[in-house]
Amino acid sequence: GSWLEDYGLAQELAAQMKRPILLDFTGSDWCTWCVKLDTEVFSTDAFKKAATDGMILVKVDFPKKKPLPDEQKQRNEALRSQFGVNGFPTVVILDSAGTKLGELGYMEGGPTAFLAKLKEVLGPRGGR
């Protein structure tokens, strides 16, 4: 359930483990809805348990106050462009081969609502 920042590593792990990838495009230190999503969903035990059991988690951060290494900024910007992300938070769900299955954002209802929607996106095979 720990978050990676390296998409390449996430792809390798997803392929090896046959697990879907969850990309969290966030503005961690300025985006109110991103902070709410993190606090109300990603930081909960319910989400951590579900994610640890079956997903590779990647945080693609666009902070305004916290400096990121230039290389990380470039990688994040490339991912943002690749997946057509225009707003934050955007959660992109990929299968283990890297095919986009769907997109989520902040929603009311905490981890229960989010995990239910995630399950719909992943479908019966769980994104494998």
Side-chain angles (χ1 to χ4, degrees):
S2 62
W3 292 85
L4 303 174
E5 292 185 346
D6 183 337
Y7 179 63
L9 175 62
Q11 286 178 301
E12 287 175 30
L13 291 171
Q16 285 170 13
M17 302 166 84
K18 300 280 186 256
R19 289 184 174 181
I21 300 172
L22 182 149
L23 295 170
D24 174 28
F25 288 86
T26 183
S28 66
D29 64 4
W30 60 269
C31 166
T32 306
W33 295 107
C34 300
V35 172
K36 282 176 74 82
L37 179 61
D38 192 54
T39 305
E40 294 176 17
V41 177
F42 296 150
S43 296
T44 65
D45 290 339
F47 178 81
K48 287 177 186 171
K49 182 181 179 335
T52 302
D53 291 346
M55 303 199 76
I56 307 296
L57 305 174
V58 183
K59 190 169 293 288
V60 186
D61 199 3
F62 294 85
K64 289 193 175 166
K65 298 176 194 108
K66 181 180 92 176
L68 287 180
D70 286 341
E71 188 182 314
Q72 184 72 40
K73 280 187 206 169
Q74 289 167 358
R75 282 199 311 255
N76 289 0
E77 203 51 64
L79 286 172
R80 179 182 181 172
S81 177
Q82 179 182 343
F83 293 106
V85 173
N86 296 316
F88 301 107
T90 298
V91 178
V92 175
I93 314 302
L94 310 171
D95 68 12
S96 59
T99 304
K100 185 174 176 178
L101 300 173
E103 217 172 85
L104 300 171
Y106 175 81
M107 61 188 74
E108 297 286 332
T112 306
F114 190 89
L115 289 169
K117 213 52 173 158
L118 184 58
K119 199 171 184 176
E120 279 177 37
V121 171
L122 291 172
R125 292 182 32 231
R128 283 169 179 74

